[in-house]
Amino acid sequence: MQQEKITGAQAVISALLCESVQTVFGYPGGAIMPIYDALYDKMDELNHILVRHEQGAIHAAQGFARVSGEVGVVFATSGPGATNLITGLADAYIDSTPVVCIIGQVTSKLLGTDAFQETDVIGISMPITKWNYQVTKASEIAPTIAKAFYLAKSGRPGPVVIDITKDAQFDQTTFDYKSCLNVRSYAPSPQPDLAGFIKAAELINKAKKPYLLIGQGIVLSKAEEELRQFVEKTGLPTASTLLGLGALPNNHANFCGMLGMHGDYAANVKTNECDVLIAIGMRFDDRVTGDVSRYAKQAKVIHIDIDAAELNKIIKAEVAIHADAKYALQTLMGLVEPKQHTHWLEEFRLGKDYEQTQLAKNKQLHDSTKIMMEDALKVLTELTGGEIVVVSDVGQHQMITARNYAYNKNNTNITSGGLGTMGFALPAAIGAKLGSPDQTVVAIAGDAGFQMNIQELGTIMQSDIGVKMIILNNSFLGMVRQWQQLFFEKRYSFTEMTNPNFVGIAQSYNIPGKKISEQTELREAIVELLEAPGAYLLEIIVEKEENVYPMIPTGASVSEVLLN
Amino acid sequence: MKEEFTLSVFTENSIGMLTRITNVFTRRHINLDSLTVSESEVKQVFKYTVVFKSTQEQIDKLIGQLERLVEVFKVFAHKNTEIIYQELALYKVKTDLLSNGAVEQIIRESQARILTVDREFIAIEKTGYIEEIESLFAKLSSFGILEFTRSGRVAINKAMIE
Ligand SMILES: Cc1ncc(C[n+]2csc(CCOP(=O)(O)OP(=O)(O)O)c2C)c(N)n1
């Protein structure tokens, strides 16, 4: 009996269904038309969201992946469709987000000839993908997609690009889908030996002032529960990187705040006072460490990461363990002694009090009838208990969100960390809402960043996606202005914005909205936003020249925190 | 302190592998001194031999980043004392020169050999260390070298197995 044949394009759709994909974000064009044609027959099984720009598609896929822990999927056409994905690929790569992008390519006979809409997608995306591959035969489609999903989500996750020539999409092939379980040159699950853990536990048990730093690795390995148990047994003060926020609830007694340039005073300063520093699933980014030559020099460092290349890359570790966070925490749990560290935790609390007193002084300088960014985030926390999904863009409001919204639930903190991509929040929030339809999703953006992917309001309208949006409008590229004020003698070179009528724009997309500027209106407006049945846009006019503090200037040490 | 290292990178035989590998060096602003690629003792497993100057600390980081590539099996770094290595050079000179005994003597003393004798030119082959290859070049220079080419380094480990 002869096996039935299908087209390569049909194989793409079938393979995605075999991978249990339910949602795809994309934008069609010439080179991917056969795939869109095959999709036409499967619209009931595969929900395709038509975005307004391919950058919107990939950020949406990232938001989807971050909230759901699954792989986000993108369709784009060749040439400009593919190049519009580049920022999102770089973002997903540096933030370890599992995304699979399926891109159409010119027919294989034309490869390398500068054909219409031909770009060397493999070459361009190579340094910003975990893996990429060009498919020129229909028979390669199923195994390549299987491999792509396996690579995107295993080990340290990341984006994968599959570039499929048009002839491969048209050609006939048999289809027999086998999930990929192994790639011989790739070892995603480290097999750490016990010795490292024993040494680590010894250091932790003996330490007077041990300090735990967590990163997104906890979230990616779904180790939140193991983390909580470990922290409660060891009594460790615990601070988080930007992307780790939410892994340990903000309201947990051992949670000591955020690390880094705009992190918390005590969280940073104590790095240089602890005797043992335990880092799990974080990579000592320069925004976290400040000057590395003056970072935790007094401490014995234990570094645990799933990516061996991160160990000893920035900070030399006394004990470096190549392991998955969940496995590491489970193993350590059996080796550590129960401890309290009450006094040491108290030092963090005192640091926090000091910070708050100082910051309150800054606040007094502002007109109390006007709204400061932090007010909005505090009200949002009060009204939601810190249990909704908050997607922030990049800039002052991002840092203020991280500092003032209390992430009390895992997988609810979505922001562009490593790349700092303005324009991320709106599309990522769209993806997050689709990845977790039952949760409230609020995008927080600045007036500038919101306009970087403002076209995605069209996606919200067409697919009726209930995303809530807050624009914190200071009529400035606020973060850049802050630096100009502090380090460039207030020479505000091209940072002031003349903005459109945001609420009017939303209304043209059939999205209700409101604009407020007085403190007295704040609470009610946020209630209205949260209670709106679908999408809603709230524009909040905030203080124009507010600065984010604390701040560790570039090149300073984590001990040199500026509070005003 | 920087010194010479030889990296052996074992990979799948896939399109674009060379770019993936060189990208890691490019990102860290490292200039390669030589690069040789061929199939290894294992069928379908390729070996990239990369020579460049670096520090032990940087080498450790590079190994991590190379091994992170999905299609890289394993990377080994060696100092020159730990490997047996050679390079190969070809020199083209005018056939007339053969009548000059001095040239023949240089070839013999350099432990080079004549590969081809054409009506107009001869091709000389020399395998050895880079210094030896350069020294032969210098000696032949005064007689006129028509063409010269040198390969990248090939190396095997002095340990019984890698
Ligand atoms: C795509 C991109 N371009 C430029 C920057 C540099 N940048 C970082 S923050 C910022 C200002 C953001 O302004 P806004 O969105 O209004 O937010 P605010 O800082 O005022 O809260 C800029 C321009 C960036 N991060 N991303």
Side-chain angles (χ1 to χ4, degrees), chain A residues 93 126-127 130-132 151 156 184-186 307 309-310 312-313, chain B residues 12 16 19-20 23 28 44-45 61 64-65 68 70-73:
Chain A
Y93 187 62
M126 201 174 268
K130 184 167 172 185
W131 185 65
N132 64 12
L151 292 174
R156 177 177 181 172
R184 65 174 189 167
S185 55
Y186 169 73
D307 181 357
E310 293 299 346
N312 295 315
K313 185 180 87 175
Chain B
E12 289 286 6
T19 316
R20 286 182 207 280
N23 269 346
R28 286 187 172 267
Q44 284 304 309
V45 171
K61 294 176 188 179
Q65 290 183 328
R68 179 155 74 175
V70 166
E71 284 140 328
V72 167
F73 290 95

Side-chain angles (χ1 to χ4, degrees), chain A residues 129-151:
Chain A
T129 48
K130 184 167 172 185
W131 185 65
N132 64 12
Y133 189 77
Q134 186 169 63
V135 173
T136 53
K137 292 189 195 73
S139 60
E140 288 180 302
I141 287 175
T144 304
I145 290 180
K147 187 168 168 184
F149 274 79
Y150 171 66
L151 292 174

Side-chain angles (χ1 to χ4, degrees), chain A residues 21 23-25 57-58 60-66 68-74 97-102 149 152 158-160:
Chain A
V21 174
T23 310
V24 176
F25 303 90
I58 185 157
Q62 291 178 267
F64 180 95
R66 296 263 287 265
S68 66
E70 298 185 1
V71 177
V73 182
V74 174
T97 312
V99 172
V100 169
C101 296
I102 293 176
F149 274 79
V160 172

Side-chain angles (χ1 to χ4, degrees), chain A residues 55 67 74 77 209 274 306 336 378 412 420 446:
Chain A
Q55 186 182 357
V67 81
V74 174
T77 193
K209 294 184 168 190
C274 63
I306 193 157
V336 291
K378 282 181 179 147
T412 58

